Amino acid sequence: MKKEQLRIMSVFGTRPEAIKMCPLVKELARREGIESLCCVTAQHRQMLDSVLEVFHVKPDWDLDIMTPRQSLSAITSRCLLGMDEAIDALKPDMILVHGDTSTTFAGALSAYYHQIPVGHVEAGLRTYHKYAPFPEEMNRVLVSGIADMYFCPTVGNRENLVREGHQRNLFVTGNTVIDALKTTVREGYRFSTEELNQIPYDTKKVVLVTCHRRENYGEPMKNIMLALRQLAEEHTDIELVYPVHLSPVVREAVDLYLRGAPRVHLTDPLPADEMHNLMSRCYMVLTDSGGLQEEAPALGKPVLVLRRETERPEAVTAGTVKLAGVVQDDIVTMGKRLIVDRRAYEEMAHAVNPYGDGQACRRIADAIEWRYGLRSEPPADFQTEPPGQKR
Ligand code: UD1
Ligand code: UDP
């Protein structure tokens, strides 16, 4: 290490944060004036490790906090205590957190306690509903209050922050998930399991499903599972592929209401490269995930969102994403339409990239270098394509 290098520590702990931060950890490592440090909380143990393996990132510090069925308070308090040690040992000049998880909130709060500047990656997303998504909406609002630099995926995200009174150090960068996608999706990709290789992608309509959100626990998740079952039973031309999240709450709902239905393939969580290539070959996506709402439009796949609202309105405006809600009949009606009505499907199935051009990590690293005097100009903003523009 050269003494004058800036020590930038990226902190993350869950699967989506890892997928979106690993490309940035690597981009920062390529910069001469920066030492790129990586501290993982391991809020997700197995799902995090899988991503680290795919992207070949070795953490400098691992808090290893995950416990089965962990409560929000347990995650936050274990992260805070662990972060004290990580900061004392690694002595970062700046800490980067991502998005809206409990790791994000605790990482930012800990940086504040140590009076270390915070960069918020994926800043400015909002539903303006305190409990939807829960607890993510409040996590990102609280992190906005702490952050010193804001890396907004879209112009709309920046506008949200400006309206809330944040005026300085806002950068529109695109979402780093598109950077990740550009490294994982490959022509002729072969999956690691025969189950996925043998799915007839050309002759059947492959519906890719994920579902895990805390605000969907209970009745909404039951409705979602029953809707998926009904779609699979009523449409012999679909194959439903569902990599099931490791949360025991989710797995119980799947076992109770979906397992055993015809044409349903339930798998363990897939490594990120497998998931992205599966998405690129599927017919459409049904999900309550945030990340999938960003990835699928870039791959030209229609998405039905299994939630009541979304903090990602750009792809809805562009016409590739629709809100299906959490009522069984609504999900079945909207799913059926995309399965049987070719026109309705074609209207949604065009590739748009409202979330990025694959240059988000470069812009974020440039902005950090600029803030610390290592570069004379800030990066130019990512320009979102006009809605509806076809590629
Ligand atoms: C968390 C985030 C959510 C994000 C999601 C991405 C919070 C509060 N929630 O939700 O914003 O959308 O990750 O997937 O930060 N588990 C394992 N192994 C793993 C991962 C999870 O066994 O690798 C199990 C554990 O029993 C764990 C449970 O899943 O207690 C729930 O994990 P947790 O991180 O608390 O919540 P998620 O629903 O995954
Ligand atoms: N993903 C994955 N394997 C899976 C399911 C999802 O790699 O089995 C990826 C997905 O492509 C996206 C990210 O995980 O990049 C989304 O994570 P998740 O849905 O857990 O969280 P969210 O985005 O809702 O916060």
Side-chain angles (χ1 to χ4, degrees):
M1 182 199 77
K2 279 188 263 148
K3 195 154 194 319
E4 67 276 17
Q5 274 184 318
L6 259 183
R7 298 168 71 81
I8 306 294
M9 183 165 94
S10 301
V11 177
F12 53 89
T14 65
R15 169 174 65 193
E17 295 167 84
I19 292 172
K20 293 167 167 183
M21 287 298 271
C22 281
L24 180 58
V25 169
K26 291 164 89 170
E27 174 66 29
L28 291 169
R30 285 192 280 270
R31 304 293 172 115
E32 210 175 294
I34 291 177
E35 184 179 13
S36 178
L37 302 165
C38 173
C39 168
V40 295
T41 65
Q43 175 178 333
H44 286 171
R45 185 68 272 173
Q46 299 88 339
M47 284 158 53
L48 170 79
D49 290 345
S50 161
V51 180
L52 294 172
E53 202 176 301
V54 168
F55 288 95
H56 308 290
V57 168
K58 281 201 171 33
D60 298 284
W61 204 267
D62 189 333
L63 309 186
D64 198 21
I65 65 138
M66 195 192 88
T67 54
R69 292 178 189 264
Q70 55 204 357
S71 70
L72 298 177
S73 312
I75 305 171
T76 306
S77 52
R78 287 164 69 88
C79 282
L80 278 175
L81 291 171
M83 283 290 296
D84 280 348
E85 287 179 33
I87 289 173
D88 285 347
L90 298 178
K91 301 193 175 19
D93 297 305
M94 180 179 212
I95 286 182
L96 300 179
V97 294
H98 179 280
D100 54 20
T101 71
S102 293
T103 285
T104 316
F105 169 57
L109 185 60
S110 175
Y112 172 72
Y113 287 161
H114 291 264
Q115 300 193 17
I116 296 169
V118 173
H120 188 197
V121 182
E122 201 180 87
L125 280 68
R126 295 287 187 271
T127 62
Y128 295 105
H129 294 162
K130 191 171 173 180
Y131 293 105
F134 170 81
E136 291 81 5
E137 179 72 3
M138 195 46 60
N139 284 340
R140 53 199 175 212
V141 168
L142 294 169
V143 173
S144 295
I146 294 173
D148 301 275
M149 294 184 83
Y150 302 86
F151 305 112
C152 309
T154 69
V155 172
N157 302 147
R158 179 177 56 193
E159 284 167 0
N160 290 340
L161 290 170
V162 169
R163 264 199 308 277
E164 292 169 23
H166 303 286
Q167 305 287 348
R168 299 178 56 232
N169 287 316
L170 307 172
F171 304 88
V172 181
T173 60
N175 197 307
T176 58
V177 80
I178 306 298
D179 300 31
L181 210 52
K182 292 207 174 203
T183 67
T184 50
V185 175
R186 286 190 294 281
E187 201 83 11
Y189 183 89
R190 269 197 77 72
F191 297 103
S192 63
T193 62
E194 275 322 293
E195 187 182 16
L196 290 182
N197 282 322
Q198 278 167 7
I199 287 171
Y201 299 96
D202 297 331
T203 52
K204 290 286 192 85
K205 294 170 178 160
V206 175
V207 180
L208 177 60
V209 175
T210 75
C211 180
H212 72 272
R213 303 213 80 88
R214 272 176 204 254
E215 80 265 19
N216 279 342
Y217 283 4
E219 200 60 22
M221 205 165 276
K222 175 181 173 188
N223 297 343
I224 290 168
M225 297 303 151
L226 292 175
L228 296 171
R229 172 177 276 275
Q230 193 179 337
L231 284 169
E233 283 171 348
E234 291 177 358
H235 299 276
T236 53
D237 57 340
I238 72 170
E239 296 288 329
L240 203 143
V241 183
Y242 179 178
V244 185
H245 193 288
L246 291 180
S247 162
V249 182
V250 175
R251 292 177 97 83
E252 267 163 28
V254 168
D255 287 346
L256 266 174
Y257 305 113
L258 185 59
R259 191 175 290 283
R263 294 172 283 282
V264 172
H265 307 257
L266 300 172
T267 74
D268 277 334
L270 297 175
D273 51 347
E274 300 256 303
M275 182 65 176
H276 290 170
N277 283 281
L278 179 57
M279 206 182 307
S280 79
R281 287 189 207 172
C282 78
Y283 178 79
M284 67 175 182
V285 174
L286 267 60
T287 189
D288 66 357
S289 158
L292 269 80
Q293 290 179 60
E294 295 153 346
E295 294 163 342
L299 298 170
K301 307 299 175 181
V303 181
L304 295 181
V305 177
L306 306 170
R307 292 170 54 186
R308 293 192 188 86
E309 42 44 57
T310 179
E311 59 289 273
R312 293 169 169 89
E314 293 85 354
V316 177
T317 307
T320 58
V321 171
K322 281 190 169 49
L323 277 179
V326 292
V327 173
Q328 183 179 344
D329 284 351
D330 296 345
I331 298 167
V332 169
T333 305
M334 292 180 73
K336 178 175 178 180
R337 183 144 185 258
L338 286 176
I339 294 167
V340 302
D341 183 342
R342 194 73 213 172
R343 240 187 50 221
Y345 177 81
E346 294 294 347
E347 268 171 27
M348 287 181 76
H350 52 265
V352 288
N353 258 339
Y355 299 112
D357 57 0
Q359 298 288 314
C361 295
R362 178 190 54 78
R363 292 190 186 92
I364 294 168
D366 284 356
I368 293 170
E369 288 185 341
W370 173 72
R371 181 183 196 265
Y372 286 94
L374 301 176
R375 173 177 293 274
S376 54
E377 296 290 329
D381 280 348
F382 161 64
Q383 306 285 330
T384 310
E385 283 173 0
Q389 180 169 317
K390 299 197 176 180
R391 292 155 56 88

